[in-house]
mmCIF file with all atom_site columns, all heavy atoms in Angstrom:
data_model
loop_
_atom_site.group_PDB
_atom_site.id
_atom_site.type_symbol
_atom_site.label_atom_id
_atom_site.label_alt_id
_atom_site.label_comp_id
_atom_site.label_asym_id
_atom_site.label_entity_id
_atom_site.label_seq_id
_atom_site.pdbx_PDB_ins_code
_atom_site.Cartn_x
_atom_site.Cartn_y
_atom_site.Cartn_z
_atom_site.occupancy
_atom_site.B_iso_or_equiv
_atom_site.pdbx_formal_charge
_atom_site.auth_seq_id
_atom_site.auth_comp_id
_atom_site.auth_asym_id
_atom_site.auth_atom_id
_atom_site.pdbx_PDB_model_num
ATOM 1   N N   . ASP A 1 66  ? 0.031  -11.278 -14.411 1.00 98.00 ? 275 ASP A N   1
ATOM 2   C CA  . ASP A 1 66  ? 1.254  -10.984 -15.158 1.00 98.00 ? 275 ASP A CA  1
ATOM 3   C C   . ASP A 1 66  ? 2.437  -10.759 -14.222 1.00 98.00 ? 275 ASP A C   1
ATOM 4   O O   . ASP A 1 66  ? 3.544  -11.241 -14.469 1.00 98.00 ? 275 ASP A O   1
ATOM 5   C CB  . ASP A 1 66  ? 1.065  -9.720  -16.014 1.00 98.00 ? 275 ASP A CB  1
ATOM 6   C CG  . ASP A 1 66  ? 0.329  -10.028 -17.307 1.00 98.00 ? 275 ASP A CG  1
ATOM 7   O OD1 . ASP A 1 66  ? -0.160 -11.158 -17.455 1.00 98.00 ? 275 ASP A OD1 1
ATOM 8   O OD2 . ASP A 1 66  ? 0.249  -9.135  -18.170 1.00 98.00 ? 275 ASP A OD2 1
ATOM 9   N N   . ALA A 1 67  ? 2.199  -10.014 -13.155 1.00 98.00 ? 276 ALA A N   1
ATOM 10  C CA  . ALA A 1 67  ? 3.286  -9.693  -12.230 1.00 98.00 ? 276 ALA A CA  1
ATOM 11  C C   . ALA A 1 67  ? 3.808  -10.952 -11.543 1.00 98.00 ? 276 ALA A C   1
ATOM 12  O O   . ALA A 1 67  ? 5.030  -11.142 -11.428 1.00 98.00 ? 276 ALA A O   1
ATOM 13  C CB  . ALA A 1 67  ? 2.818  -8.678  -11.191 1.00 98.00 ? 276 ALA A CB  1
ATOM 14  N N   . PHE A 1 68  ? 2.906  -11.808 -11.109 1.00 98.00 ? 277 PHE A N   1
ATOM 15  C CA  . PHE A 1 68  ? 3.337  -13.067 -10.483 1.00 98.00 ? 277 PHE A CA  1
ATOM 16  C C   . PHE A 1 68  ? 4.176  -13.873 -11.454 1.00 98.00 ? 277 PHE A C   1
ATOM 17  O O   . PHE A 1 68  ? 5.232  -14.411 -11.100 1.00 98.00 ? 277 PHE A O   1
ATOM 18  C CB  . PHE A 1 68  ? 2.128  -13.891 -10.030 1.00 98.00 ? 277 PHE A CB  1
ATOM 19  C CG  . PHE A 1 68  ? 1.649  -13.552 -8.635  1.00 98.00 ? 277 PHE A CG  1
ATOM 20  C CD1 . PHE A 1 68  ? 0.331  -13.195 -8.410  1.00 98.00 ? 277 PHE A CD1 1
ATOM 21  C CD2 . PHE A 1 68  ? 2.523  -13.594 -7.552  1.00 98.00 ? 277 PHE A CD2 1
ATOM 22  C CE1 . PHE A 1 68  ? -0.120 -12.888 -7.122  1.00 98.00 ? 277 PHE A CE1 1
ATOM 23  C CE2 . PHE A 1 68  ? 2.073  -13.289 -6.263  1.00 98.00 ? 277 PHE A CE2 1
ATOM 24  C CZ  . PHE A 1 68  ? 0.753  -12.938 -6.051  1.00 98.00 ? 277 PHE A CZ  1
ATOM 25  N N   . ASN A 1 69  ? 3.716  -13.961 -12.684 1.00 97.00 ? 278 ASN A N   1
ATOM 26  C CA  . ASN A 1 69  ? 4.462  -14.729 -13.683 1.00 97.00 ? 278 ASN A CA  1
ATOM 27  C C   . ASN A 1 69  ? 5.813  -14.095 -13.990 1.00 97.00 ? 278 ASN A C   1
ATOM 28  O O   . ASN A 1 69  ? 6.818  -14.792 -14.117 1.00 97.00 ? 278 ASN A O   1
ATOM 29  C CB  . ASN A 1 69  ? 3.631  -14.871 -14.962 1.00 97.00 ? 278 ASN A CB  1
ATOM 30  C CG  . ASN A 1 69  ? 2.578  -15.957 -14.817 1.00 97.00 ? 278 ASN A CG  1
ATOM 31  O OD1 . ASN A 1 69  ? 2.827  -17.007 -14.221 1.00 97.00 ? 278 ASN A OD1 1
ATOM 32  N ND2 . ASN A 1 69  ? 1.389  -15.699 -15.327 1.00 97.00 ? 278 ASN A ND2 1
ATOM 33  N N   . ALA A 1 70  ? 5.830  -12.783 -14.094 1.00 98.00 ? 279 ALA A N   1
ATOM 34  C CA  . ALA A 1 70  ? 7.091  -12.096 -14.385 1.00 98.00 ? 279 ALA A CA  1
ATOM 35  C C   . ALA A 1 70  ? 8.090  -12.317 -13.253 1.00 98.00 ? 279 ALA A C   1
ATOM 36  O O   . ALA A 1 70  ? 9.282  -12.521 -13.497 1.00 98.00 ? 279 ALA A O   1
ATOM 37  C CB  . ALA A 1 70  ? 6.846  -10.605 -14.580 1.00 98.00 ? 279 ALA A CB  1
ATOM 38  N N   . LEU A 1 71  ? 7.589  -12.293 -12.013 1.00 98.00 ? 280 LEU A N   1
ATOM 39  C CA  . LEU A 1 71  ? 8.471  -12.524 -10.867 1.00 98.00 ? 280 LEU A CA  1
ATOM 40  C C   . LEU A 1 71  ? 9.042  -13.931 -10.916 1.00 98.00 ? 280 LEU A C   1
ATOM 41  O O   . LEU A 1 71  ? 10.262 -14.128 -10.777 1.00 98.00 ? 280 LEU A O   1
ATOM 42  C CB  . LEU A 1 71  ? 7.703  -12.297 -9.565  1.00 98.00 ? 280 LEU A CB  1
ATOM 43  C CG  . LEU A 1 71  ? 8.440  -12.667 -8.280  1.00 98.00 ? 280 LEU A CG  1
ATOM 44  C CD1 . LEU A 1 71  ? 9.752  -11.897 -8.154  1.00 98.00 ? 280 LEU A CD1 1
ATOM 45  C CD2 . LEU A 1 71  ? 7.565  -12.385 -7.053  1.00 98.00 ? 280 LEU A CD2 1
ATOM 46  N N   . ALA A 1 72  ? 8.181  -14.911 -11.156 1.00 98.00 ? 281 ALA A N   1
ATOM 47  C CA  . ALA A 1 72  ? 8.652  -16.299 -11.231 1.00 98.00 ? 281 ALA A CA  1
ATOM 48  C C   . ALA A 1 72  ? 9.669  -16.449 -12.361 1.00 98.00 ? 281 ALA A C   1
ATOM 49  O O   . ALA A 1 72  ? 10.712 -17.089 -12.191 1.00 98.00 ? 281 ALA A O   1
ATOM 50  C CB  . ALA A 1 72  ? 7.474  -17.243 -11.436 1.00 98.00 ? 281 ALA A CB  1
ATOM 51  N N   . ASP A 1 73  ? 9.363  -15.836 -13.507 1.00 98.00 ? 282 ASP A N   1
ATOM 52  C CA  . ASP A 1 73  ? 10.292 -15.907 -14.636 1.00 98.00 ? 282 ASP A CA  1
ATOM 53  C C   . ASP A 1 73  ? 11.646 -15.296 -14.286 1.00 98.00 ? 282 ASP A C   1
ATOM 54  O O   . ASP A 1 73  ? 12.692 -15.825 -14.634 1.00 98.00 ? 282 ASP A O   1
ATOM 55  C CB  . ASP A 1 73  ? 9.709  -15.174 -15.857 1.00 98.00 ? 282 ASP A CB  1
ATOM 56  C CG  . ASP A 1 73  ? 8.528  -15.922 -16.460 1.00 98.00 ? 282 ASP A CG  1
ATOM 57  O OD1 . ASP A 1 73  ? 8.346  -17.111 -16.122 1.00 98.00 ? 282 ASP A OD1 1
ATOM 58  O OD2 . ASP A 1 73  ? 7.771  -15.317 -17.252 1.00 98.00 ? 282 ASP A OD2 1
ATOM 59  N N   . ALA A 1 74  ? 11.604 -14.168 -13.585 1.00 98.00 ? 283 ALA A N   1
ATOM 60  C CA  . ALA A 1 74  ? 12.842 -13.483 -13.205 1.00 98.00 ? 283 ALA A CA  1
ATOM 61  C C   . ALA A 1 74  ? 13.686 -14.364 -12.299 1.00 98.00 ? 283 ALA A C   1
ATOM 62  O O   . ALA A 1 74  ? 14.916 -14.428 -12.431 1.00 98.00 ? 283 ALA A O   1
ATOM 63  C CB  . ALA A 1 74  ? 12.522 -12.161 -12.517 1.00 98.00 ? 283 ALA A CB  1
ATOM 64  N N   . ILE A 1 75  ? 13.015 -15.058 -11.373 1.00 98.00 ? 284 ILE A N   1
ATOM 65  C CA  . ILE A 1 75  ? 13.746 -15.926 -10.450 1.00 98.00 ? 284 ILE A CA  1
ATOM 66  C C   . ILE A 1 75  ? 14.378 -17.090 -11.203 1.00 98.00 ? 284 ILE A C   1
ATOM 67  O O   . ILE A 1 75  ? 15.558 -17.405 -11.003 1.00 98.00 ? 284 ILE A O   1
ATOM 68  C CB  . ILE A 1 75  ? 12.789 -16.455 -9.360  1.00 98.00 ? 284 ILE A CB  1
ATOM 69  C CG1 . ILE A 1 75  ? 12.321 -15.301 -8.483  1.00 98.00 ? 284 ILE A CG1 1
ATOM 70  C CG2 . ILE A 1 75  ? 13.472 -17.522 -8.521  1.00 98.00 ? 284 ILE A CG2 1
ATOM 71  C CD1 . ILE A 1 75  ? 11.150 -15.645 -7.601  1.00 98.00 ? 284 ILE A CD1 1
ATOM 72  N N   . ILE A 1 76  ? 13.596 -17.686 -12.091 1.00 97.00 ? 285 ILE A N   1
ATOM 73  C CA  . ILE A 1 76  ? 14.123 -18.798 -12.883 1.00 97.00 ? 285 ILE A CA  1
ATOM 74  C C   . ILE A 1 76  ? 15.300 -18.333 -13.734 1.00 97.00 ? 285 ILE A C   1
ATOM 75  O O   . ILE A 1 76  ? 16.338 -18.990 -13.794 1.00 97.00 ? 285 ILE A O   1
ATOM 76  C CB  . ILE A 1 76  ? 13.015 -19.391 -13.783 1.00 97.00 ? 285 ILE A CB  1
ATOM 77  C CG1 . ILE A 1 76  ? 11.965 -20.074 -12.901 1.00 97.00 ? 285 ILE A CG1 1
ATOM 78  C CG2 . ILE A 1 76  ? 13.587 -20.369 -14.798 1.00 97.00 ? 285 ILE A CG2 1
ATOM 79  C CD1 . ILE A 1 76  ? 10.720 -20.498 -13.653 1.00 97.00 ? 285 ILE A CD1 1
ATOM 80  N N   . ALA A 1 77  ? 15.139 -17.161 -14.350 1.00 98.00 ? 286 ALA A N   1
ATOM 81  C CA  . ALA A 1 77  ? 16.224 -16.623 -15.182 1.00 98.00 ? 286 ALA A CA  1
ATOM 82  C C   . ALA A 1 77  ? 17.466 -16.372 -14.344 1.00 98.00 ? 286 ALA A C   1
ATOM 83  O O   . ALA A 1 77  ? 18.588 -16.647 -14.772 1.00 98.00 ? 286 ALA A O   1
ATOM 84  C CB  . ALA A 1 77  ? 15.767 -15.341 -15.862 1.00 98.00 ? 286 ALA A CB  1
ATOM 85  N N   . GLY A 1 78  ? 17.263 -15.859 -13.130 1.00 98.00 ? 287 GLY A N   1
ATOM 86  C CA  . GLY A 1 78  ? 18.388 -15.586 -12.230 1.00 98.00 ? 287 GLY A CA  1
ATOM 87  C C   . GLY A 1 78  ? 19.153 -16.854 -11.915 1.00 98.00 ? 287 GLY A C   1
ATOM 88  O O   . GLY A 1 78  ? 20.388 -16.890 -11.995 1.00 98.00 ? 287 GLY A O   1
ATOM 89  N N   . ARG A 1 79  ? 18.406 -17.890 -11.595 1.00 96.00 ? 288 ARG A N   1
ATOM 90  C CA  . ARG A 1 79  ? 19.062 -19.151 -11.295 1.00 96.00 ? 288 ARG A CA  1
ATOM 91  C C   . ARG A 1 79  ? 19.755 -19.706 -12.536 1.00 96.00 ? 288 ARG A C   1
ATOM 92  O O   . ARG A 1 79  ? 20.894 -20.175 -12.486 1.00 96.00 ? 288 ARG A O   1
ATOM 93  C CB  . ARG A 1 79  ? 18.061 -20.186 -10.798 1.00 96.00 ? 288 ARG A CB  1
ATOM 94  C CG  . ARG A 1 79  ? 18.767 -21.435 -10.316 1.00 96.00 ? 288 ARG A CG  1
ATOM 95  C CD  . ARG A 1 79  ? 17.850 -22.614 -10.301 1.00 96.00 ? 288 ARG A CD  1
ATOM 96  N NE  . ARG A 1 79  ? 17.508 -23.056 -11.632 1.00 96.00 ? 288 ARG A NE  1
ATOM 97  C CZ  . ARG A 1 79  ? 17.350 -24.343 -11.975 1.00 96.00 ? 288 ARG A CZ  1
ATOM 98  N NH1 . ARG A 1 79  ? 17.508 -25.270 -11.054 1.00 96.00 ? 288 ARG A NH1 1
ATOM 99  N NH2 . ARG A 1 79  ? 17.018 -24.677 -13.187 1.00 96.00 ? 288 ARG A NH2 1
ATOM 100 N N   . ASP A 1 80  ? 19.066 -19.621 -13.674 1.00 97.00 ? 289 ASP A N   1
ATOM 101 C CA  . ASP A 1 80  ? 19.621 -20.190 -14.908 1.00 97.00 ? 289 ASP A CA  1
ATOM 102 C C   . ASP A 1 80  ? 20.970 -19.587 -15.282 1.00 97.00 ? 289 ASP A C   1
ATOM 103 O O   . ASP A 1 80  ? 21.867 -20.304 -15.722 1.00 97.00 ? 289 ASP A O   1
ATOM 104 C CB  . ASP A 1 80  ? 18.632 -20.006 -16.068 1.00 97.00 ? 289 ASP A CB  1
ATOM 105 C CG  . ASP A 1 80  ? 17.481 -21.002 -15.979 1.00 97.00 ? 289 ASP A CG  1
ATOM 106 O OD1 . ASP A 1 80  ? 17.530 -21.873 -15.084 1.00 97.00 ? 289 ASP A OD1 1
ATOM 107 O OD2 . ASP A 1 80  ? 16.537 -20.901 -16.784 1.00 97.00 ? 289 ASP A OD2 1
ATOM 108 N N   . ALA A 1 99  ? 17.409 -12.389 -7.490  1.00 98.00 ? 308 ALA A N   1
ATOM 109 C CA  . ALA A 1 99  ? 16.471 -12.037 -8.562  1.00 98.00 ? 308 ALA A CA  1
ATOM 110 C C   . ALA A 1 99  ? 15.131 -11.584 -7.986  1.00 98.00 ? 308 ALA A C   1
ATOM 111 O O   . ALA A 1 99  ? 14.482 -10.683 -8.527  1.00 98.00 ? 308 ALA A O   1
ATOM 112 C CB  . ALA A 1 99  ? 16.273 -13.227 -9.499  1.00 98.00 ? 308 ALA A CB  1
ATOM 113 N N   . TYR A 1 103 ? 13.783 -7.924  -8.842  1.00 98.00 ? 312 TYR A N   1
ATOM 114 C CA  . TYR A 1 103 ? 12.474 -7.691  -9.462  1.00 98.00 ? 312 TYR A CA  1
ATOM 115 C C   . TYR A 1 103 ? 11.713 -6.622  -8.685  1.00 98.00 ? 312 TYR A C   1
ATOM 116 O O   . TYR A 1 103 ? 11.153 -5.691  -9.268  1.00 98.00 ? 312 TYR A O   1
ATOM 117 C CB  . TYR A 1 103 ? 11.660 -8.985  -9.526  1.00 98.00 ? 312 TYR A CB  1
ATOM 118 C CG  . TYR A 1 103 ? 10.299 -8.777  -10.158 1.00 98.00 ? 312 TYR A CG  1
ATOM 119 C CD1 . TYR A 1 103 ? 10.139 -8.811  -11.537 1.00 98.00 ? 312 TYR A CD1 1
ATOM 120 C CD2 . TYR A 1 103 ? 9.182  -8.501  -9.376  1.00 98.00 ? 312 TYR A CD2 1
ATOM 121 C CE1 . TYR A 1 103 ? 8.904  -8.584  -12.122 1.00 98.00 ? 312 TYR A CE1 1
ATOM 122 C CE2 . TYR A 1 103 ? 7.937  -8.281  -9.950  1.00 98.00 ? 312 TYR A CE2 1
ATOM 123 C CZ  . TYR A 1 103 ? 7.811  -8.319  -11.332 1.00 98.00 ? 312 TYR A CZ  1
ATOM 124 O OH  . TYR A 1 103 ? 6.585  -8.079  -11.897 1.00 98.00 ? 312 TYR A OH  1
ATOM 125 N N   . ARG A 1 135 ? 3.611  -20.278 -8.322  1.00 94.00 ? 344 ARG A N   1
ATOM 126 C CA  . ARG A 1 135 ? 4.811  -20.588 -9.124  1.00 94.00 ? 344 ARG A CA  1
ATOM 127 C C   . ARG A 1 135 ? 6.106  -20.128 -8.466  1.00 94.00 ? 344 ARG A C   1
ATOM 128 O O   . ARG A 1 135 ? 7.102  -20.834 -8.476  1.00 94.00 ? 344 ARG A O   1
ATOM 129 C CB  . ARG A 1 135 ? 4.708  -19.904 -10.500 1.00 94.00 ? 344 ARG A CB  1
ATOM 130 C CG  . ARG A 1 135 ? 4.143  -20.791 -11.599 1.00 94.00 ? 344 ARG A CG  1
ATOM 131 C CD  . ARG A 1 135 ? 4.282  -20.104 -12.945 1.00 94.00 ? 344 ARG A CD  1
ATOM 132 N NE  . ARG A 1 135 ? 5.638  -20.089 -13.458 1.00 94.00 ? 344 ARG A NE  1
ATOM 133 C CZ  . ARG A 1 135 ? 6.124  -19.165 -14.297 1.00 94.00 ? 344 ARG A CZ  1
ATOM 134 N NH1 . ARG A 1 135 ? 5.335  -18.182 -14.707 1.00 94.00 ? 344 ARG A NH1 1
ATOM 135 N NH2 . ARG A 1 135 ? 7.366  -19.221 -14.712 1.00 94.00 ? 344 ARG A NH2 1
ATOM 136 N N   . THR A 1 136 ? 6.073  -18.920 -7.912  1.00 94.00 ? 345 THR A N   1
ATOM 137 C CA  . THR A 1 136 ? 7.264  -18.357 -7.274  1.00 94.00 ? 345 THR A CA  1
ATOM 138 C C   . THR A 1 136 ? 7.830  -19.294 -6.226  1.00 94.00 ? 345 THR A C   1
ATOM 139 O O   . THR A 1 136 ? 9.029  -19.601 -6.219  1.00 94.00 ? 345 THR A O   1
ATOM 140 C CB  . THR A 1 136 ? 6.916  -17.008 -6.604  1.00 94.00 ? 345 THR A CB  1
ATOM 141 O OG1 . THR A 1 136 ? 6.288  -16.175 -7.567  1.00 94.00 ? 345 THR A OG1 1
ATOM 142 C CG2 . THR A 1 136 ? 8.158  -16.342 -6.069  1.00 94.00 ? 345 THR A CG2 1
ATOM 143 N N   . VAL A 1 139 ? 9.502  -22.612 -7.566  1.00 93.00 ? 348 VAL A N   1
ATOM 144 C CA  . VAL A 1 139 ? 10.870 -22.516 -8.068  1.00 93.00 ? 348 VAL A CA  1
ATOM 145 C C   . VAL A 1 139 ? 11.862 -22.794 -6.945  1.00 93.00 ? 348 VAL A C   1
ATOM 146 O O   . VAL A 1 139 ? 12.768 -23.621 -7.073  1.00 93.00 ? 348 VAL A O   1
ATOM 147 C CB  . VAL A 1 139 ? 11.142 -21.109 -8.644  1.00 93.00 ? 348 VAL A CB  1
ATOM 148 C CG1 . VAL A 1 139 ? 12.569 -21.023 -9.148  1.00 93.00 ? 348 VAL A CG1 1
ATOM 149 C CG2 . VAL A 1 139 ? 10.160 -20.773 -9.746  1.00 93.00 ? 348 VAL A CG2 1
#
Side-chain angles (χ1 to χ4, degrees):
Chain A
D275 279 8
F277 272 125
N278 281 321
L280 173 58
D282 290 345
I284 294 167
I285 292 171
R288 187 201 70 143
D289 284 355
Y312 180 85
R344 265 189 74 207
T345 307
V348 179

